[in-house]
Amino acid sequence: MIRHTLTFLAAVTLFGLHVGAGESKAQEQRSSAELPAPIVQELIGNSCLNCHNSGEPAAGIDLESITAGAIEANREVWEKVVRMLRLRQMPPFDMPRPEEATYNAALRSLAPTLDDIAARHPQPGRTDTFRRLTRTEYRNAVRDLLAVDVDVSALLPEDEVSHGFDNITVGELSPTLLNRYISAAQKISRLALGGSQHSPGGTTIRVRPDVTQEERVEGLPIGTRGGTLISYHFPQDGEYEIQIRLARDRDEHVEGLTKPHELELLLDLERVKLFTVNPPRGNAGSAGAYGRQSHDHVDQHLTARLDVTAGTHQVGVTFLKNSSSLLEYARQPLNVHFNMYRHPRLGPAVYQVSIAGPFRANGPGNTASRKRIFVTQPTGPEDEDECARKIVASLLRRACRQPITDEDLSKPMALYREARAAGNFKEGLEVAISAILLNPKFLFRIERDASGIPPGTAYQVSDVELASRLSFFLWSSIPDDELLQLAERGQLSDSEVLEQQTRRMLADDRSQSLASNFAGQWLHLRNLESTTPDARLYPDFDDNLRQAFREETERLFGAIMNEDRSVLELLTSDYTYLNERLAKHYGVPHVYGSRFRRVSLEENSHRGGLLRHGSILTVTSYATRTSPVLRGKWILENILGTRLPPPPDNVPAIEESTVASELTGRERLAQHRADPACASCHNLIDPVGFSMESFDAVGRWRELDEGQLVDASGSLPYGDVFSGVDGLEQRLLDRPDLFVSTMAEKLLTFAIGRGAEPHDAPEIRKIVRDAKDEGYRFSSLILGVVNSVPFQMRTSQ
């Protein structure tokens, strides 16, 4: 085996030098057919990418078959070899390892050769011809097209995730989903125009049951506590009814209502109503019929009718905070108060807010959406058709993200005229806008092959297609007028113009979607919503902490982006973003209030970069304990770019009933690795995750695990043993290109809407090389992706 491995490394070096010195014409024309398909499968199947098999990465590779042909004929195979060498997955981990200099020499010989071949023969890959907008993209597109922000989570289902992102497998539109889009289009067009309804509409907004409501909610006035702040679009001028209901326990008692409390209703932070909530007369704490009945009525009066102008307003419901003294405890009390039986509320809490109306509607008003839509107004019935045509043409051009033709206009205008004949001008426009929102050129990102080129040819995408790629990458939304105009004039593909537009768009607030949408998926922040640690073991966890976790990570990512800092600061930052709730959880002193702010950290705070964030540590844990496996897998895949297979079907999970509950995580996994079918993969994954064991399942620092000192020693595939998160971060910084390459690959995958393939590797290496010269600044990676062959080109079919 040793001889086999050394022969392989020598072959890589010699073959790289051979190709670099020049190839014969016959060698260049050799096809990949010289490498039998079974050998390719054997390379993938027996490598540590499928380490649950033999655990020998190089087993089964016929070196003579590969090296006998031209390297160009086996590009994809050699790219896989480069990847495994770069990650030190070759030779097997139980075999003697070559010196670092040997690895580096092999990579220096092979990678430039592959890069040179890629430069001479671009292979951009192929994105799907039809890609439906994701739910997030749809919401953002509607916001930018019609100036109305609609929560579409109740209108459209979640999108399926592939390669870590939800914008990959979005090619189909089932009849059921089409019906959902039809309903969404009708509702959105009515909201945008302020259309009338046959009866007053209504919406109920419910506060999550695990929200603690003892402190001020960000955005509400100082001196208040709890409640909620709702951004709500009122469709018309008129009178609306707002009804508030308070949270109850399982006995239907309003929990925490032991004395009078004042509750205020605000509209755009101005008080419109002040209520007093009194405890029921009699024994409110009893479980008798009288107590239950009296609690049924304590919030019946929390209803107000008020006149509201059409458009989006902020509706606030909150309690006035009663004065209280600071009590001293021997131990810090829990910050959680949302459940009578485990975490009793100290005062009443808001359960839901219902908004109904309009009653006595006074018209659609002058909303931002109507200003966006009505680029012209008819002066009379005789010019309504022409005005409608101008309005529809303006919206359709931006919705379809390209110049439009008379044929494009014919269908929405026909629907407009039909609805206008049965109603009025506004009703006609409402139907036309619904038709625009259902237009395939809006719902789908369509990229057709250039005409007159043979299959398998790499070609430059058009300027309007490039504009859509750029806007959906940076904004998860449609191009704005400036970008679209440049594309229509054929100027966007100019390198200087493209860079200027990229920097302009990064400076726009809409680029925050990179933090919420891209980073939210790359770093698994979306999984926080479905993560609920066991309340018996982690009683200090609530939704307030869950949302603070996500906010901290998104703000750090946003700061790196907005300030154009090195992306390595995602790992090494000596600052973070905290509010009082999160600071208490971390044990960071002198942070007060619900407002998030940047906090410089002391050296012994155990906080800083991503690997120390509660968000990451919680989504990579189980409900009852930490998981070195989940954490190790997360680091290998999302920080180092290692591709790990799912576990084989015949490998059982760790059984809690058969593994003593008092065992530490390391001891549990030692028993699990005793199974040979588990050992090969876990020997790769577990040592990385062990280094994070000083953080518990909700991200708190700990010294003990099950009464024993935490053993946080770990290792990476390419390094020696280290201790704790400090050692892990240092090992990652020893080879920063690995993390930057992973981030570049994730950005490229998100940008082009398909998984990265071996033929994309030369472009990723180029992005990283160019970014290194710029100190790995965030903008250098974004520009590298935008200037890359896969982003600007496509292969014909």
Side-chain angles (χ1 to χ4, degrees):
M1 185 62 205
I2 296 176
R3 179 178 177 277
H4 186 77
T5 301
L6 293 177
T7 303
F8 177 81
L9 288 172
V12 170
T13 304
L14 290 174
F15 206 69
L17 293 174
H18 169 68
V19 175
E23 294 178 321
S24 68
K25 183 77 172 178
Q27 286 175 320
E28 288 181 349
Q29 293 177 345
R30 288 179 185 175
S31 69
S32 58
E34 292 180 350
L35 181 65
I39 297 180
V40 178
Q41 294 299 322
E42 205 166 10
L43 169 65
I44 300 172
N46 289 320
S47 73
C48 65
L49 298 177
N50 279 320
C51 53
H52 51 70
N53 293 331
S54 68
E56 297 184 0
I61 298 178
D62 187 344
L63 294 175
E64 292 184 2
S65 296
I66 298 177
T67 56
I71 194 170
E72 186 172 340
N74 302 298
R75 280 172 64 180
E76 296 207 355
V77 178
W78 284 111
E79 285 291 1
K80 292 173 183 177
V81 169
V82 168
R83 188 181 188 96
M84 287 191 286
L85 287 173
R86 185 169 60 86
L87 294 170
R88 307 304 190 254
Q89 292 177 306
M90 190 179 285
F93 297 109
D94 57 352
M95 303 299 295
R97 312 286 287 173
E99 298 290 334
E100 278 295 299
T102 305
Y103 279 114
N104 294 333
L107 289 170
R108 281 196 301 269
S109 299
L110 184 56
T113 300
L114 292 166
D115 293 344
D116 180 65
I117 294 171
R120 288 186 284 109
H121 305 287
Q123 195 172 347
R126 181 177 177 83
T127 53
D128 290 339
T129 301
F130 293 90
R131 288 172 51 217
R132 178 175 46 81
L133 300 190
T134 67
R135 189 166 70 174
T136 299
E137 292 169 343
Y138 182 88
R139 176 178 183 172
N140 293 345
V142 167
R143 176 201 66 200
D144 294 341
L145 179 67
L146 300 174
V148 57
D149 192 5
V150 179
D151 182 5
V152 298
S153 59
L155 304 176
L156 301 173
E158 285 185 339
D159 299 293
E160 189 176 319
V161 174
S162 177
H163 297 279
F165 298 100
D166 62 6
N167 64 345
I168 309 294
T169 55
V170 284
E172 297 182 354
L173 184 62
S174 66
T176 302
L177 185 55
L178 177 59
N179 287 332
R180 300 283 290 269
Y181 275 111
I182 292 172
S183 299
Q186 292 172 335
K187 177 176 181 178
I188 291 166
S189 62
R190 187 168 57 248
L191 279 175
L193 284 170
S196 60
Q197 304 178 94
H198 297 297
S199 61
T203 301
T204 296
I205 301 94
R206 191 162 292 171
V207 181
R208 284 185 64 136
D210 58 344
V211 172
T212 297
Q213 299 189 35
E214 304 304 329
E215 300 297 336
R216 171 177 167 265
V217 173
E218 184 65 23
L220 289 174
I222 295 174
T224 62
R225 68 155 189 91
T228 184
L229 183 63
I230 303 162
S231 179
Y232 187 80
H233 186 86
F234 293 84
Q236 291 187 308
D237 294 346
E239 185 182 53
Y240 291 82
E241 181 177 276
I242 300 178
Q243 185 181 66
I244 305 161
R245 288 291 174 261
L246 303 181
R248 286 167 164 76
D249 60 25
R250 66 180 63 179
D251 295 323
E252 291 299 315
H253 290 173
V254 175
E255 194 176 355
L257 186 58
T258 58
K259 61 182 180 180
H261 290 262
E262 290 185 307
L263 177 73
E264 67 175 348
L265 173 64
L266 305 107
L267 185 68
D268 296 328
L269 297 183
E270 294 291 333
R271 179 188 290 176
V272 294
K273 187 76 173 180
L274 182 66
F275 304 95
T276 299
V277 182
N278 292 302
R281 282 176 288 182
N283 183 8
S286 74
Y290 178 74
R292 287 196 299 273
Q293 183 178 2
S294 60
H295 272 268
D296 288 342
H297 296 284
V298 296
D299 56 0
Q300 290 296 310
H301 66 295
L302 303 182
T303 301
R305 284 206 175 195
L306 56 150
D307 292 325
V308 185
T309 58
T312 301
H313 295 275
Q314 301 297 313
V315 177
V317 178
T318 185
F319 290 93
L320 299 186
K321 187 173 177 63
N322 295 326
S323 59
S324 60
S325 58
L326 181 63
L327 302 179
E328 294 186 4
Y329 296 89
R331 299 177 62 185
Q332 178 177 309
L334 294 178
N335 298 295
V336 168
H337 302 282
F338 65 82
N339 179 288
M340 172 183 177
Y341 298 95
R342 295 191 186 278
H343 323 287
R345 295 190 186 277
L346 305 181
V350 173
Y351 171 63
Q352 68 180 31
V353 178
S354 299
I355 304 174
F359 304 93
R360 298 196 302 273
N362 298 320
N366 189 26
T367 63
S369 57
R370 287 178 63 86
K371 292 177 183 177
R372 178 72 58 82
I373 292 168
F374 287 101
V375 294
T376 183
Q377 290 274 7
T379 58
E382 66 280 355
D383 62 353
E384 283 185 354
D385 195 85
E386 182 60 29
C387 284
R389 185 179 180 86
K390 289 180 180 178
I391 290 169
V392 171
S394 173
L395 292 174
L396 191 61
R397 169 180 166 271
R398 288 204 60 208
C400 296
R401 308 175 286 279
Q402 62 185 35
I404 58 172
T405 65
D406 290 339
E407 183 180 354
D408 295 324
L409 278 172
S410 61
K411 185 62 178 288
M413 284 303 298
L415 291 170
Y416 157 77
R417 294 182 182 112
E418 182 179 341
R420 173 65 183 90
N424 55 38
F425 178 70
K426 187 177 67 175
E427 290 172 353
L429 275 183
E430 189 176 306
V431 173
I433 291 174
S434 295
I436 291 172
L437 296 179
L438 291 169
N439 191 307
K441 293 180 181 178
F442 172 72
L443 286 180
F444 288 86
R445 295 170 58 186
I446 304 173
E447 293 183 344
R448 292 189 171 89
D449 287 344
S451 59
I453 60 173
T457 303
Y459 68 93
Q460 197 84 18
V461 299
S462 69
D463 277 52
V464 292
E465 291 170 342
L466 184 61
S468 282
R469 287 191 174 196
L470 188 61
S471 65
F472 280 103
F473 173 33
L474 300 182
W475 290 348
S476 295
S477 185
I478 58 177
D480 62 3
D481 282 330
E482 180 176 336
L483 186 66
L484 192 54
Q485 287 169 7
L486 288 169
E488 289 172 342
R489 293 197 295 262
Q491 297 175 344
L492 185 60
S493 54
D494 179 85
S495 59
E496 292 184 2
V497 174
L498 184 60
E499 178 176 347
Q500 184 271 329
Q501 287 298 305
T502 301
R503 293 188 181 277
R504 177 185 71 85
M505 295 172 71
L506 279 175
D508 191 283
D509 288 342
R510 282 169 285 189
S511 66
Q512 293 304 311
S513 67
L514 282 171
S516 59
N517 195 20
F518 166 72
Q521 296 183 77
W522 168 35
L523 303 176
H524 297 186
L525 303 183
R526 287 186 176 184
N527 295 355
L528 278 169
E529 291 301 316
S530 59
T531 300
T532 304
D534 190 301
R536 295 167 298 178
L537 299 175
Y538 306 101
D540 211 23
F541 187 91
D542 59 4
D543 190 62
N544 309 56
L545 187 60
R546 181 187 288 113
Q547 300 307 323
F549 279 164
R550 179 162 186 165
E551 184 85 3
E552 176 193 23
T553 305
E554 287 186 356
R555 281 180 177 261
L556 176 62
F557 187 94
I560 301 298
M561 177 179 66
N562 296 333
E563 300 170 23
D564 200 16
R565 305 176 77 91
S566 168
V567 297
L568 295 178
E569 279 195 25
L570 289 169
L571 301 176
T572 65
S573 67
D574 57 359
Y575 60 90
T576 193
Y577 291 84
L578 304 174
N579 65 358
E580 182 176 356
R581 177 72 178 84
L582 188 55
K584 283 183 177 179
H585 185 74
Y586 287 164
V588 177
H590 313 308
V591 177
Y592 303 104
S594 59
R595 178 181 63 86
F596 270 83
R597 78 294 310 263
R598 184 166 172 161
V599 177
S600 297
L601 299 167
E602 297 181 2
E603 191 172 344
N604 62 349
S605 69
H606 308 301
R607 299 298 159 183
L610 291 177
L611 302 181
R612 304 167 185 263
H613 280 207
S615 58
I616 307 302
L617 297 163
T618 301
V619 299
T620 55
S621 296
Y622 292 120
T624 57
R625 57 179 170 82
T626 62
S627 173
V629 177
L630 294 181
R631 289 177 176 177
K633 181 176 183 290
W634 186 91
I635 292 169
L636 288 172
E637 290 183 336
N638 295 287
I639 301 298
L640 293 173
T642 306
R643 294 175 180 172
L644 297 169
D649 296 334
N650 60 343
V651 174
I654 297 177
E655 294 290 342
E656 300 289 346
S657 60
T658 58
V659 178
S661 60
E662 67 273 9
L663 293 181
T664 65
R666 188 179 290 266
E667 291 168 336
R668 290 170 186 266
L669 286 168
Q671 293 194 7
H672 193 59
R673 287 196 304 275
D675 186 337
C678 306
S680 56
C681 263
H682 282 275
N683 287 336
L684 173 67
I685 298 170
D686 296 355
V688 186
F690 287 144
S691 64
M692 308 286 284
E693 279 293 274
S694 292
F695 296 101
D696 70 7
V698 292
R700 295 176 302 192
W701 182 261
R702 63 179 181 177
E703 304 286 347
L704 300 175
D705 179 17
E706 299 294 343
Q708 302 180 42
L709 286 175
V710 170
D711 179 2
S713 59
S715 64
L716 288 171
Y718 60 81
D720 54 2
V721 175
F722 54 81
S723 180
V725 66
D726 291 330
L728 174 59
E729 289 174 343
Q730 186 54 56
R731 294 302 185 277
L732 293 174
L733 292 176
D734 288 343
R735 295 188 60 197
D737 58 295
L738 290 180
F739 171 68
V740 179
S741 294
T742 302
M743 185 173 177
E745 181 177 317
K746 298 292 184 180
L747 283 167
L748 184 64
T749 298
F750 179 76
I752 61 179
R754 64 167 175 80
E757 301 291 342
H759 56 72
D760 297 316
E763 288 298 315
I764 294 172
R765 288 194 289 269
K766 184 178 186 303
I767 293 170
V768 175
R769 285 196 306 272
D770 293 345
K772 182 178 181 180
D773 295 337
E774 299 292 329
Y776 295 125
R777 289 185 179 275
F778 187 88
S779 63
S780 65
L781 264 72
I782 297 295
L783 287 168
V785 170
V786 169
N787 291 323
S788 68
V789 167
F791 191 83
Q792 295 197 13
M793 300 182 73
R794 190 166 179 259
T795 301
S796 62
Q797 190 173 45

